[in-house]
Amino acid sequence: MKEKGLLIVLSGPSGVGKGTVRKEIFSQPDTAFEYSISMTTRKPRQGEVDGVDYFFKSREEFETLIEQDKLLEYAEFVGNYYGTPVDYVKQTLNEGKDVFLEIEVQGAKQVREKFPDGLFIFLVPPSLSELKNRIVTRGTETEDIINNRLSAAKEEIEMMKLYDYVVENDQVENACDRINAIVVAEHCRRTRVEPRYLKMLEAE
Amino acid sequence: MKEKGLLIVLSGPSGVGKGTVRKEIFSQPDTAFEYSISMTTRKPRQGEVDGVDYFFKSREEFETLIEQDKLLEYAEFVGNYYGTPVDYVKQTLNEGKDVFLEIEVQGAKQVREKFPDGLFIFLVPPSLSELKNRIVTRGTETEDIINNRLSAAKEEIEMMKLYDYVVENDQVENACDRINAIVVAEHCRRTRVEPRYLKMLEAE
């Protein structure tokens, strides 16, 4: 019997650096999990590539996929849709591979309902004031957008209770080390591995 | 408010290599936890040092400590007592340091009752037959002792359900890596860190 892979969900407040952490993890040569590329209706930022960073879709295309139930989760955030195509995730888990999602908190909540056994990791800034600095110094947004994001971030930190783990993004490398450790640990969780060992005992 | 340290309990079947794994972990220069040295009434093996590997005590001395309630846990195993002095553990946890215990399964059960929040790790061999080889090739025991140990090991593997994590001791270095990852992960567990972050949110 082949064991199913682990669904790893990385989420956290807007501006905390989820994308940077995810990119760093997947730049490591020994990363053992598969990245599920999200879909979005937001415009690509400088340097973002369709099919690598996101699948960029029109609002109309996205809403058709919602109707066809082809999304594991989706959320509207600051006026844009973000979502996860479901087929790739299910197929890859069934192959015994771990799948890594980097998604917004609204979407993570939906995934939790569908995959209660998933591994839910909440990325947080060292402090809220540091979060503010990060959003401001991105330097491409109006003050209204910044204030909206800050307010959303406060609400999202209160959503922490839906997660299994909280990882502080003090430095990208540290955050990645913690996430990798969490995945290793989770593969050792007794409730996940017990069936295999009980079988071993019977075979003796 | 200073956070209390984490109580890390490593246990597993006799002969699985708990002591070797523990020694390897504490030989690593960046190990961040404190080792709680056990007490035992068994005779020192070749190379074992009193106060380093164990506190070696007479049966009479040990039973006096039991009466005085000075042991966090104790167990009798293959005719000898093994136990953990309680004062050192409580004091070190209160200082915010992680304490590492390497104990027999009978003792781990007692610690679980007193410290339900502890981090309980069960070390297992890749297979029971490999366990047999390890016990036999130690080469210093009679067949009766070997059979007793094997039978005990089977029972102990069934005790896995009392633990949070199961770590396979396929290679000492791998087992140590997994244990270190589990400790890192456990420090990120939401239920452990949530109070700190809720406080941060209030301070904003």
Side-chain angles (χ1 to χ4, degrees):
Chain A
M1 189 191 68
K2 201 168 191 175
E3 271 173 73
K4 282 184 79 172
L6 203 59
L7 182 62
I8 304 153
V9 178
L10 178 66
S11 191
S14 174
V16 74
K18 295 188 289 293
T20 308
V21 167
R22 180 255 302 166
K23 276 179 202 159
E24 174 64 24
I25 285 176
F26 281 91
S27 75
Q28 294 167 355
D30 53 349
T31 288
F33 24 86
E34 309 290 319
Y35 177 54
S36 165
I37 300 164
S38 293
M39 265 179 207
T40 183
T41 60
R42 82 151 162 73
K43 298 280 169 281
R45 290 194 193 125
Q46 186 74 29
E48 286 184 337
V49 176
D50 185 40
V52 175
D53 298 287
Y54 286 96
F55 296 112
F56 294 101
K57 298 283 177 188
S58 73
R59 208 168 168 85
E60 202 170 43
E61 289 171 313
F62 201 101
E63 287 174 347
T64 304
L65 290 167
I66 294 173
E67 280 166 30
Q68 293 173 342
D69 205 20
K70 288 287 185 193
L71 296 169
L72 172 59
E73 56 80 32
Y74 69 95
E76 202 168 356
F77 194 77
V78 198
N80 288 302
Y81 281 126
Y82 295 78
T84 302
V86 70
D87 292 344
Y88 173 82
V89 171
K90 287 193 174 170
Q91 185 189 316
T92 311
L93 291 176
N94 284 335
E95 287 168 6
K97 294 175 192 160
D98 297 341
V99 175
F100 189 97
L101 304 184
E102 177 235 318
I103 55 180
E104 300 299 329
V105 290
Q106 291 163 277
K109 197 172 171 182
Q110 295 169 56
V111 180
R112 180 57 115 178
E113 283 159 16
K114 289 175 188 163
F115 287 85
D117 281 353
L119 174 50
F120 288 75
I121 302 172
F122 196 76
L123 196 66
V124 293
S127 74
L128 266 183
S129 46
E130 185 165 339
L131 173 70
K132 189 168 181 176
N133 290 337
R134 286 185 202 194
I135 294 179
V136 173
T137 54
R138 194 183 280 162
T140 55
E141 318 291 5
T142 71
E143 195 172 333
D144 269 359
I145 292 182
I146 290 167
N147 283 335
N148 282 345
R149 284 203 177 141
L150 259 183
S151 164
K154 284 185 186 179
E155 282 170 30
E156 286 160 347
I157 286 182
E158 280 161 9
M159 289 182 69
M160 195 180 281
K161 66 171 71 65
L162 295 173
Y163 292 77
D164 303 303
Y165 295 95
V166 176
V167 166
E168 190 172 299
N169 190 17
D170 52 347
Q171 294 198 9
V172 175
E173 294 73 19
N174 293 347
C176 293
D177 287 349
R178 289 176 195 129
I179 291 166
N180 284 323
I182 288 167
V183 175
V184 169
E186 203 66 17
H187 276 289
C188 296
R189 259 189 114 57
R190 193 256 308 160
T191 49
R192 294 194 195 275
V193 301
E194 195 173 35
R196 193 199 317 153
Y197 286 106
L198 289 174
K199 210 168 176 181
M200 183 184 87
L201 191 64
E202 284 164 17
E204 185 65 10
Chain B
M1 189 192 66
K2 201 167 193 175
E3 270 172 73
K4 282 183 79 172
L6 201 59
L7 182 62
I8 303 152
V9 178
L10 178 67
S11 192
S14 174
V16 74
K18 295 187 290 293
T20 308
V21 167
R22 180 255 301 165
K23 275 179 203 160
E24 175 63 23
I25 285 178
F26 281 91
S27 74
Q28 294 167 356
D30 54 349
T31 288
F33 24 87
E34 309 289 320
Y35 177 54
S36 165
I37 300 165
S38 293
M39 267 178 205
T40 184
T41 59
R42 82 150 162 76
K43 298 281 170 280
R45 290 195 192 123
Q46 186 75 29
E48 286 185 337
V49 176
D50 185 41
V52 175
D53 298 287
Y54 286 97
F55 295 111
F56 294 101
K57 299 282 177 188
S58 72
R59 207 165 167 88
E60 203 171 42
E61 289 171 313
F62 202 101
E63 287 174 346
T64 304
L65 290 168
I66 294 173
E67 280 166 29
Q68 293 174 343
D69 205 20
K70 290 285 187 193
L71 295 169
L72 172 60
E73 56 80 32
Y74 70 95
E76 203 168 356
F77 193 77
V78 199
N80 288 300
Y81 280 126
Y82 296 78
T84 302
V86 70
D87 292 345
Y88 173 83
V89 171
K90 288 194 173 170
Q91 185 189 317
T92 311
L93 291 175
N94 284 334
E95 288 168 5
K97 294 175 192 161
D98 296 342
V99 176
F100 189 97
L101 305 184
E102 177 236 316
I103 56 181
E104 300 298 330
V105 291
Q106 292 162 279
K109 197 172 171 182
Q110 295 169 56
V111 179
R112 180 57 116 178
E113 284 160 15
K114 290 176 187 163
F115 286 85
D117 281 352
L119 174 50
F120 288 75
I121 303 172
F122 196 76
L123 196 66
V124 293
S127 76
L128 266 184
S129 46
E130 185 164 340
L131 173 69
K132 189 169 181 177
N133 289 338
R134 288 185 201 193
I135 294 178
V136 172
T137 56
R138 194 184 281 163
T140 55
E141 318 291 6
T142 70
E143 196 174 331
D144 269 358
I145 291 182
I146 290 168
N147 283 335
N148 282 346
R149 284 204 177 141
L150 259 184
S151 165
K154 284 185 186 178
E155 282 170 30
E156 286 160 348
I157 287 181
E158 280 161 9
M159 288 182 69
M160 197 181 279
K161 66 171 70 64
L162 295 173
Y163 293 77
D164 303 303
Y165 294 95
V166 175
V167 166
E168 190 171 298
N169 190 17
D170 52 348
Q171 294 198 11
V172 176
E173 294 73 18
N174 293 346
C176 293
D177 287 349
R178 289 176 194 130
I179 291 167
N180 284 324
I182 288 167
V183 175
V184 169
E186 202 67 17
H187 276 290
C188 297
R189 258 188 116 57
R190 194 256 308 160
T191 49
R192 293 193 195 274
V193 302
E194 195 172 37
R196 192 199 316 153
Y197 285 107
L198 289 174
K199 209 168 178 181
M200 185 184 87
L201 192 64
E202 285 165 16
E204 184 66 7

Short mmCIF file of all heavy atoms in Angstrom, two decimals, chain A residues 33-71:
data_model
loop_
_atom_site.label_atom_id
_atom_site.label_comp_id
_atom_site.label_asym_id
_atom_site.label_seq_id
_atom_site.Cartn_x
_atom_site.Cartn_y
_atom_site.Cartn_z
N PHE A 33 9.42 18.30 -2.22
CA PHE A 33 8.00 18.38 -2.50
C PHE A 33 7.69 19.16 -3.76
O PHE A 33 8.53 19.86 -4.31
CB PHE A 33 7.19 18.89 -1.30
CG PHE A 33 7.91 19.72 -0.29
CD1 PHE A 33 8.05 21.08 -0.44
CD2 PHE A 33 8.44 19.11 0.83
CE1 PHE A 33 8.70 21.85 0.51
CE2 PHE A 33 9.09 19.87 1.79
CZ PHE A 33 9.22 21.24 1.63
N GLU A 34 6.45 18.94 -4.21
CA GLU A 34 6.01 19.48 -5.50
C GLU A 34 5.24 20.77 -5.26
O GLU A 34 4.37 20.82 -4.40
CB GLU A 34 5.09 18.47 -6.19
CG GLU A 34 5.65 17.06 -6.28
CD GLU A 34 6.82 16.97 -7.25
OE1 GLU A 34 6.74 17.60 -8.32
OE2 GLU A 34 7.81 16.28 -6.93
N TYR A 35 5.53 21.77 -6.06
CA TYR A 35 4.84 23.04 -5.90
C TYR A 35 3.58 23.08 -6.76
O TYR A 35 3.63 22.80 -7.95
CB TYR A 35 5.77 24.20 -6.28
CG TYR A 35 5.08 25.54 -6.20
CD1 TYR A 35 4.43 25.95 -5.04
CD2 TYR A 35 5.07 26.41 -7.30
CE1 TYR A 35 3.79 27.17 -4.96
CE2 TYR A 35 4.44 27.63 -7.23
CZ TYR A 35 3.80 28.01 -6.06
OH TYR A 35 3.16 29.21 -5.97
N SER A 36 2.48 23.42 -6.12
CA SER A 36 1.24 23.60 -6.87
C SER A 36 1.11 25.07 -7.23
O SER A 36 0.95 25.92 -6.36
CB SER A 36 0.05 23.15 -6.01
OG SER A 36 -1.15 23.64 -6.57
N ILE A 37 1.21 25.37 -8.50
CA ILE A 37 1.15 26.76 -8.96
C ILE A 37 -0.28 27.27 -8.86
O ILE A 37 -1.22 26.61 -9.29
CB ILE A 37 1.68 26.87 -10.41
CG1 ILE A 37 3.14 26.39 -10.48
CG2 ILE A 37 1.55 28.30 -10.94
CD1 ILE A 37 3.62 26.10 -11.88
N SER A 38 -0.42 28.46 -8.26
CA SER A 38 -1.74 29.05 -8.10
C SER A 38 -2.19 29.74 -9.38
O SER A 38 -1.38 30.06 -10.26
CB SER A 38 -1.72 30.09 -6.98
OG SER A 38 -1.50 29.46 -5.74
N MET A 39 -3.51 29.95 -9.44
CA MET A 39 -4.08 30.78 -10.50
C MET A 39 -4.46 32.12 -9.91
O MET A 39 -4.89 32.20 -8.76
CB MET A 39 -5.35 30.13 -11.02
CG MET A 39 -5.14 29.29 -12.24
SD MET A 39 -6.70 28.54 -12.75
CE MET A 39 -6.04 27.08 -13.54
N THR A 40 -4.34 33.17 -10.70
CA THR A 40 -4.79 34.48 -10.21
C THR A 40 -5.28 35.34 -11.37
O THR A 40 -4.87 35.14 -12.52
CB THR A 40 -3.68 35.22 -9.45
OG1 THR A 40 -4.21 36.45 -8.94
CG2 THR A 40 -2.50 35.55 -10.36
N THR A 41 -6.15 36.28 -11.01
CA THR A 41 -6.60 37.28 -12.00
C THR A 41 -5.83 38.59 -11.83
O THR A 41 -6.08 39.52 -12.59
CB THR A 41 -8.10 37.56 -11.84
OG1 THR A 41 -8.34 38.07 -10.52
CG2 THR A 41 -8.92 36.30 -12.06
N ARG A 42 -4.92 38.65 -10.86
CA ARG A 42 -4.18 39.91 -10.74
C ARG A 42 -3.11 40.00 -11.83
O ARG A 42 -2.69 38.99 -12.39
CB ARG A 42 -3.58 40.09 -9.34
CG ARG A 42 -2.28 39.39 -9.06
CD ARG A 42 -1.49 40.17 -8.00
NE ARG A 42 -0.44 39.37 -7.39
CZ ARG A 42 0.70 39.03 -8.01
NH1 ARG A 42 0.93 39.36 -9.27
NH2 ARG A 42 1.61 38.33 -7.36
N LYS A 43 -2.70 41.23 -12.12
CA LYS A 43 -1.71 41.44 -13.18
C LYS A 43 -0.34 40.95 -12.72
O LYS A 43 0.00 41.07 -11.55
CB LYS A 43 -1.62 42.94 -13.50
CG LYS A 43 -2.93 43.54 -14.04
CD LYS A 43 -3.11 43.24 -15.53
CE LYS A 43 -4.51 43.59 -16.02
NZ LYS A 43 -5.52 42.55 -15.66
N PRO A 44 0.44 40.39 -13.61
CA PRO A 44 1.80 39.98 -13.23
C PRO A 44 2.62 41.18 -12.74
O PRO A 44 2.53 42.25 -13.33
CB PRO A 44 2.40 39.43 -14.54
CG PRO A 44 1.24 39.15 -15.42
CD PRO A 44 0.14 40.09 -15.02
N ARG A 45 3.39 40.98 -11.65
CA ARG A 45 4.35 42.00 -11.23
C ARG A 45 5.62 41.84 -12.04
O ARG A 45 5.84 40.82 -12.69
CB ARG A 45 4.68 41.85 -9.73
CG ARG A 45 3.53 42.20 -8.82
CD ARG A 45 3.98 42.38 -7.37
NE ARG A 45 2.80 42.40 -6.50
CZ ARG A 45 2.60 41.59 -5.45
NH1 ARG A 45 3.52 40.70 -5.13
NH2 ARG A 45 1.51 41.68 -4.72
N GLN A 46 6.46 42.87 -11.95
CA GLN A 46 7.76 42.86 -12.65
C GLN A 46 8.47 41.51 -12.44
O GLN A 46 8.68 41.08 -11.30
CB GLN A 46 8.62 43.99 -12.08
CG GLN A 46 9.95 44.21 -12.79
CD GLN A 46 9.77 44.88 -14.15
OE1 GLN A 46 8.83 45.64 -14.38
NE2 GLN A 46 10.68 44.57 -15.07
N GLY A 47 8.79 40.84 -13.50
CA GLY A 47 9.59 39.61 -13.40
C GLY A 47 8.79 38.33 -13.22
O GLY A 47 9.35 37.25 -13.30
N GLU A 48 7.49 38.44 -12.97
CA GLU A 48 6.69 37.23 -12.77
C GLU A 48 6.36 36.58 -14.12
O GLU A 48 6.06 37.28 -15.10
CB GLU A 48 5.40 37.57 -12.02
CG GLU A 48 5.65 37.83 -10.54
CD GLU A 48 4.36 38.05 -9.75
OE1 GLU A 48 3.34 38.44 -10.37
OE2 GLU A 48 4.39 37.86 -8.54
N VAL A 49 6.40 35.26 -14.13
CA VAL A 49 6.22 34.51 -15.39
C VAL A 49 4.98 33.64 -15.30
O VAL A 49 4.78 32.93 -14.30
CB VAL A 49 7.48 33.64 -15.68
CG1 VAL A 49 7.28 32.79 -16.93
CG2 VAL A 49 8.72 34.51 -15.79
N ASP A 50 4.14 33.67 -16.34
CA ASP A 50 2.93 32.84 -16.39
C ASP A 50 3.33 31.36 -16.42
O ASP A 50 4.21 30.96 -17.20
CB ASP A 50 2.13 33.20 -17.65
CG ASP A 50 0.79 32.46 -17.70
OD1 ASP A 50 0.14 32.34 -16.64
OD2 ASP A 50 0.41 32.01 -18.80
N GLY A 51 2.70 30.55 -15.56
CA GLY A 51 3.01 29.13 -15.51
C GLY A 51 4.19 28.81 -14.61
O GLY A 51 4.51 27.64 -14.40
N VAL A 52 4.84 29.84 -14.06
CA VAL A 52 5.95 29.62 -13.12
C VAL A 52 5.55 30.20 -11.77
O VAL A 52 5.45 29.48 -10.78
CB VAL A 52 7.26 30.27 -13.63
CG1 VAL A 52 8.37 30.13 -12.57
CG2 VAL A 52 7.67 29.65 -14.95
N ASP A 53 5.31 31.52 -11.74
CA ASP A 53 4.87 32.15 -10.49
C ASP A 53 3.38 31.90 -10.26
O ASP A 53 2.96 31.60 -9.16
CB ASP A 53 5.17 33.65 -10.55
CG ASP A 53 6.65 33.90 -10.69
OD1 ASP A 53 7.36 33.70 -9.70
OD2 ASP A 53 7.10 34.26 -11.80
N TYR A 54 2.62 32.08 -11.28
CA TYR A 54 1.17 31.89 -11.26
C TYR A 54 0.72 31.46 -12.65
O TYR A 54 1.44 31.66 -13.62
CB TYR A 54 0.43 33.20 -10.94
CG TYR A 54 0.49 33.66 -9.52
CD1 TYR A 54 1.44 34.60 -9.12
CD2 TYR A 54 -0.41 33.19 -8.55
CE1 TYR A 54 1.50 35.05 -7.80
CE2 TYR A 54 -0.36 33.64 -7.25
CZ TYR A 54 0.59 34.57 -6.88
OH TYR A 54 0.64 35.01 -5.58
N PHE A 55 -0.49 30.90 -12.72
CA PHE A 55 -1.22 30.90 -13.98
C PHE A 55 -2.06 32.17 -13.98
O PHE A 55 -2.97 32.31 -13.17
CB PHE A 55 -2.13 29.66 -14.10
CG PHE A 55 -1.39 28.36 -14.14
CD1 PHE A 55 -1.48 27.46 -13.08
CD2 PHE A 55 -0.60 28.01 -15.23
CE1 PHE A 55 -0.78 26.25 -13.10
CE2 PHE A 55 0.09 26.80 -15.28
CZ PHE A 55 0.00 25.92 -14.20
N PHE A 56 -1.76 33.08 -14.86
CA PHE A 56 -2.51 34.33 -14.93
C PHE A 56 -3.72 34.15 -15.84
O PHE A 56 -3.59 33.74 -16.99
CB PHE A 56 -1.61 35.47 -15.43
CG PHE A 56 -0.49 35.80 -14.48
CD1 PHE A 56 0.81 35.34 -14.70
CD2 PHE A 56 -0.73 36.55 -13.33
CE1 PHE A 56 1.84 35.62 -13.80
CE2 PHE A 56 0.29 36.84 -12.42
CZ PHE A 56 1.58 36.37 -12.67
N LYS A 57 -4.92 34.42 -15.25
CA LYS A 57 -6.17 34.21 -15.99
C LYS A 57 -7.01 35.48 -15.96
O LYS A 57 -6.87 36.31 -15.06
CB LYS A 57 -6.98 33.07 -15.31
CG LYS A 57 -6.28 31.73 -15.29
CD LYS A 57 -6.35 31.03 -16.64
CE LYS A 57 -5.58 29.71 -16.59
NZ LYS A 57 -5.45 29.10 -17.93
N SER A 58 -7.92 35.58 -16.92
CA SER A 58 -8.90 36.67 -16.87
C SER A 58 -9.96 36.34 -15.82
O SER A 58 -10.11 35.18 -15.42
CB SER A 58 -9.57 36.85 -18.23
OG SER A 58 -10.46 35.77 -18.46
N ARG A 59 -10.67 37.37 -15.41
CA ARG A 59 -11.75 37.19 -14.44
C ARG A 59 -12.81 36.20 -14.97
O ARG A 59 -13.33 35.37 -14.21
CB ARG A 59 -12.39 38.56 -14.18
CG ARG A 59 -13.01 38.68 -12.82
CD ARG A 59 -13.38 40.07 -12.42
NE ARG A 59 -14.21 39.98 -11.24
CZ ARG A 59 -13.74 39.89 -10.00
NH1 ARG A 59 -12.45 39.95 -9.77
NH2 ARG A 59 -14.56 39.75 -8.97
N GLU A 60 -13.07 36.30 -16.24
CA GLU A 60 -14.08 35.43 -16.87
C GLU A 60 -13.63 33.96 -16.84
O GLU A 60 -14.38 33.06 -16.46
CB GLU A 60 -14.28 35.88 -18.32
CG GLU A 60 -15.59 35.47 -18.91
CD GLU A 60 -15.81 36.17 -20.26
OE1 GLU A 60 -14.83 36.23 -21.05
OE2 GLU A 60 -16.93 36.65 -20.51
N GLU A 61 -12.39 33.72 -17.24
CA GLU A 61 -11.84 32.36 -17.22
C GLU A 61 -11.89 31.77 -15.81
O GLU A 61 -12.25 30.60 -15.61
CB GLU A 61 -10.37 32.36 -17.69
CG GLU A 61 -10.17 32.63 -19.17
CD GLU A 61 -8.70 32.85 -19.52
OE1 GLU A 61 -8.01 33.62 -18.81
OE2 GLU A 61 -8.24 32.26 -20.50
N PHE A 62 -11.51 32.61 -14.84
CA PHE A 62 -11.46 32.13 -13.45
C PHE A 62 -12.85 31.73 -12.97
O PHE A 62 -13.03 30.68 -12.34
CB PHE A 62 -10.87 33.23 -12.55
CG PHE A 62 -10.31 32.72 -11.26
CD1 PHE A 62 -8.94 32.55 -11.08
CD2 PHE A 62 -11.15 32.40 -10.20
CE1 PHE A 62 -8.42 32.07 -9.89
CE2 PHE A 62 -10.64 31.92 -9.00
CZ PHE A 62 -9.27 31.75 -8.85
N GLU A 63 -13.83 32.58 -13.28
CA GLU A 63 -15.20 32.30 -12.80
C GLU A 63 -15.78 31.05 -13.46
O GLU A 63 -16.59 30.34 -12.84
CB GLU A 63 -16.08 33.54 -12.98
CG GLU A 63 -15.71 34.61 -11.95
CD GLU A 63 -16.43 35.94 -12.11
OE1 GLU A 63 -17.05 36.17 -13.17
OE2 GLU A 63 -16.35 36.76 -11.17
N THR A 64 -15.36 30.76 -14.67
CA THR A 64 -15.79 29.51 -15.32
C THR A 64 -15.23 28.30 -14.55
O THR A 64 -15.95 27.33 -14.30
CB THR A 64 -15.28 29.47 -16.78
OG1 THR A 64 -15.76 30.63 -17.46
CG2 THR A 64 -15.76 28.22 -17.50
N LEU A 65 -13.97 28.38 -14.13
CA LEU A 65 -13.36 27.28 -13.36
C LEU A 65 -14.05 27.09 -12.00
O LEU A 65 -14.23 25.96 -11.54
CB LEU A 65 -11.86 27.53 -13.16
CG LEU A 65 -11.03 27.41 -14.44
CD1 LEU A 65 -9.62 27.96 -14.23
CD2 LEU A 65 -10.95 25.95 -14.90
N ILE A 66 -14.45 28.19 -11.40
CA ILE A 66 -15.21 28.10 -10.13
C ILE A 66 -16.51 27.32 -10.37
O ILE A 66 -16.83 26.39 -9.62
CB ILE A 66 -15.55 29.51 -9.58
CG1 ILE A 66 -14.28 30.25 -9.16
CG2 ILE A 66 -16.50 29.40 -8.37
CD1 ILE A 66 -14.50 31.71 -8.77
N GLU A 67 -17.21 27.70 -11.43
CA GLU A 67 -18.48 27.03 -11.74
C GLU A 67 -18.29 25.54 -12.00
O GLU A 67 -19.13 24.72 -11.63
CB GLU A 67 -19.14 27.67 -12.97
CG GLU A 67 -19.87 28.97 -12.66
CD GLU A 67 -20.20 29.75 -13.94
OE1 GLU A 67 -20.40 29.11 -15.00
OE2 GLU A 67 -20.22 31.00 -13.87
N GLN A 68 -17.16 25.19 -12.63
CA GLN A 68 -16.89 23.78 -12.97
C GLN A 68 -16.31 23.00 -11.79
O GLN A 68 -15.92 21.85 -11.95
CB GLN A 68 -15.93 23.71 -14.17
CG GLN A 68 -16.54 24.24 -15.46
CD GLN A 68 -15.52 24.30 -16.58
OE1 GLN A 68 -14.31 24.27 -16.34
NE2 GLN A 68 -16.01 24.39 -17.83
N ASP A 69 -16.19 23.65 -10.63
CA ASP A 69 -15.66 23.02 -9.42
C ASP A 69 -14.24 22.49 -9.63
O ASP A 69 -13.87 21.42 -9.14
CB ASP A 69 -16.60 21.88 -8.97
CG ASP A 69 -16.46 21.60 -7.48
OD1 ASP A 69 -15.97 22.47 -6.75
OD2 ASP A 69 -16.84 20.49 -7.05
N LYS A 70 -13.46 23.24 -10.36
CA LYS A 70 -12.10 22.82 -10.70
C LYS A 70 -11.04 23.45 -9.78
O LYS A 70 -9.84 23.39 -10.06
CB LYS A 70 -11.78 23.21 -12.15
CG LYS A 70 -12.51 22.37 -13.20
CD LYS A 70 -11.90 20.99 -13.27
CE LYS A 70 -12.52 20.16 -14.40
NZ LYS A 70 -12.15 18.74 -14.28
N LEU A 71 -11.51 24.10 -8.71
CA LEU A 71 -10.57 24.76 -7.81
C LEU A 71 -10.68 24.17 -6.39
O LEU A 71 -11.77 24.05 -5.85
CB LEU A 71 -10.83 26.26 -7.77
CG LEU A 71 -10.60 26.98 -9.11
CD1 LEU A 71 -11.14 28.40 -9.06
CD2 LEU A 71 -9.12 26.99 -9.47
#
